[in-house]
């Protein structure tokens, strides 16, 4: 066993675990007060459900020996049987348990990423059932395709160092499929749906950025030069993407927003994930700038195309994942890049797109048919925090205000909708006045 590499992978696993609570804060701050706790719980529940499924059969389906055609692993490791603390894997010799823990954290955060697209309007029980089905039928097989040596995309030499296809494209297109089944929020494009806490959004983005060093560099599975290159490129691309997003936002909307800074950083993190080990620092810079500007443009498509992706999972994770995956074929160094590799990357991206969209749509339909995916109109209007969790994020009555629990807000005062917006808020700046208005419960 290589002690240094083992320690590195275990620390990286802990960093990736922190990303899921970070995502919860990032999404939680972007929704309205009445669904803040539900948004947090939609991420946190993934830590419980996916952990159990991973031990029962997920690890075996994803990383068991291939059962044929490169589509799925066998079930030899159900309950992690056949693996002991002394069982090693990888060139450097790390325990399989360390590798399994690290990969578990990827499996946890991937369905949690989708939750932002469905904010404000789904039953918590339906979401838990959807996660259970989705990771079993979509994530575990796709992880096998991409990262297990017997997987068909791995054998095709598709480069996905840390999850551009298996995590971000997979989650982004799966979120779009679920949104098309669930439908739009009440008041979409009519009522103001601004973030209730931009400081929480910034905190969540910071935790994601911090944890992403484990996500990306840890995927080297060794404390070596590849990990160092990936860590450096993660920082470079993220900073460049934040600047690219803010520059586009300033030209398009006339202001540099905190929500734009946080979202731009996440777009850069997404885009560098598949490509960072294959490009140099200048390539990472280009990937970041392109991802920041293009993702900033892409978030407005939901208004033009008419689908309600509440927190822009499609615009950031799907679009950013595709950008990072394809640019490997353009910017990869060491003789890897070129038309052949670009073709391989396109096959990988669009294979995951097609499979994940189709199966995710069918699973969302199944959940809707079995128990109903959508919250009732009354619950959505009054607040799903109270409806599903019997709690609220903030106790306004304690400071002499009117408790959000006792209020039923049918439709808040009308405000101009933004069709070039971002996130739950609509991201068109309003000269700061929106931040001083009474919070929409």
């Amino acid at each position: 066993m290589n002690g240094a590499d083992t320690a590195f992978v275990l620390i990286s696993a802990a960093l990736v675990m922190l990303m899921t609570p970070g995502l919860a804060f990032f999404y939680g701050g972007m929704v309205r007060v009445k669904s803040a706790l539900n948004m947090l719980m939609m991420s946190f529940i993934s830590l419980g459900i996916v952990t159990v499924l991973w031990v029962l059969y997920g690890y075996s389906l994803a990383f068991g020996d291939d059962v044929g055609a490169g589509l799925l692993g066998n079930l030899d490791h159900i309950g992690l049987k056949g693996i002991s603390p002394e069982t090693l894997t990888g060139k450097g010799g790390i325990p399989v348990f360390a590798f399994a823990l690290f990969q578990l954290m990827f499996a946890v955060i991937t369905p949690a990423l989708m939750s932002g697209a469905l904010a404000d309007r789904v039953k918590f029980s339906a979401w838990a059932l959807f996660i259970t089905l989705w990771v079993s039928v979509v994530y575990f097989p796709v992880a096998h395709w991409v990262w297990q040596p017997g997987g068909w995309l791995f054998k095709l030499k598709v480069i996905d160092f840390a999850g551009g296809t298996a995590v971000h494209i997979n989650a982004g297109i799966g979120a779009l499929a679920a949104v098309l089944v669930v439908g739009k929020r009440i008041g979409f494009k009519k009522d103001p749906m601004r973030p209730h806490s931009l400081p929480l959004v910034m905190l969540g983005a910071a935790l994601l950025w911090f944890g992403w060093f484990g996500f990306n560099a840890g995927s080297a599975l060794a404390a070596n030069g590849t990990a160092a290159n990936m860590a450096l490129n993660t920082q470079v691309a993220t900073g460049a993407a934040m600047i690219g997003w803010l520059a586009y936002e300033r030209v398009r909307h006339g202001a540099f927003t905190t929500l734009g800074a946080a979202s731009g950083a996440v777009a850069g993190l997404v885009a560098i994930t598949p490509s960072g080990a294959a490009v140099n620092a200048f390539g990472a810079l280009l990937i970041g700038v392109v991802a920041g500007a293009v993702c900033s443009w892409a978030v407005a498509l939901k208004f033009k195309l008419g689908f309600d992706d509440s927190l822009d999972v499609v615009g950031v994770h799907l679009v950013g994942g595709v950008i990072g995956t394809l640019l490997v074929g353009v910017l990869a160094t060491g003789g890897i890049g070129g038309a052949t590799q670009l073709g391989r990357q396109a096959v990988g991206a669009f294979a995951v797109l097609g499979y994940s969209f189709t199966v995710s749509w069918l699973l969302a339909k199944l959940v809707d048919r079995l128990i109903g995916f959508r919250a009732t109109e009354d619950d959505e209007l009054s607040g799903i925090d109270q409806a599903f969790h019997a709690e609220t994020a903030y106790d306004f009555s304690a400071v002499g205000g009117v408790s959000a629990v006792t209020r039923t807000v049918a439709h808040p005062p009308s405000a101009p909708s933004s069709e070039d917006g971002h996130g739950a808020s609509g991201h068109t700046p309003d000269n700061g006045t929106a931040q001083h208005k009474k919070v929409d419960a």
Side-chain angles (χ1 to χ4, degrees), residues 293-317:
V294 173
C295 290
S296 185
W297 164 80
V299 297
L301 292 178
K302 65 182 181 183
F303 295 106
K304 294 179 173 64
L305 299 178
F307 63 90
D308 184 9
D309 172 14
S310 303
L311 308 183
D312 301 310
V313 178
V314 176
V316 174
H317 293 278

Side-chain angles (χ1 to χ4, degrees), residues 197-208:
S197 177
L198 288 170
L200 277 185
V201 175
M202 297 296 282
L203 172 63
L207 290 172
L208 284 169

Side-chain angles (χ1 to χ4, degrees), residues 4 13 21 24 30 48 85 95 145 150 167 186 188 196 204 222 227 244 305 309 330 368 390 413 429:
M30 290 170 69
W145 300 358
V167 176
I186 298 171
F188 176 63
H196 88 280
L305 299 178
D309 172 14
V330 179
D368 194 45

Side-chain angles (χ1 to χ4, degrees), residues 291-365:
V294 173
C295 290
S296 185
W297 164 80
V299 297
L301 292 178
K302 65 182 181 183
F303 295 106
K304 294 179 173 64
L305 299 178
F307 63 90
D308 184 9
D309 172 14
S310 303
L311 308 183
D312 301 310
V313 178
V314 176
V316 174
H317 293 278
L318 174 57
V319 174
V322 170
I323 289 170
T325 297
L326 295 182
L327 286 181
V328 173
V330 179
L331 299 173
T333 58
I336 298 173
T340 299
Q341 189 62 44
L342 179 60
R344 291 171 180 157
Q345 298 302 114
V347 170
F350 289 103
V352 174
L353 274 168
Y355 177 77
S356 183
F357 179 85
T358 302
V359 179
S360 300
W361 188 88
L362 292 172
L363 292 176
K365 277 288 188 183

Side-chain angles (χ1 to χ4, degrees), residues 34 377-384 386-387 404-405 407-409 441:
K34 63 182 180 181
E377 183 176 349
D378 285 345
D379 286 343
E380 184 176 344
L381 290 173
S382 61
I384 54 179
Q386 183 64 22
V405 177
R407 273 190 297 179
T408 300
V409 181

Side-chain angles (χ1 to χ4, degrees), residues 125-140:
S125 56
W127 172 245
L129 176 58
F130 181 73
I131 284 180
T132 302
L133 298 173
W134 192 86
V135 294
S136 301
V137 183
V138 179
Y139 181 79
F140 297 154

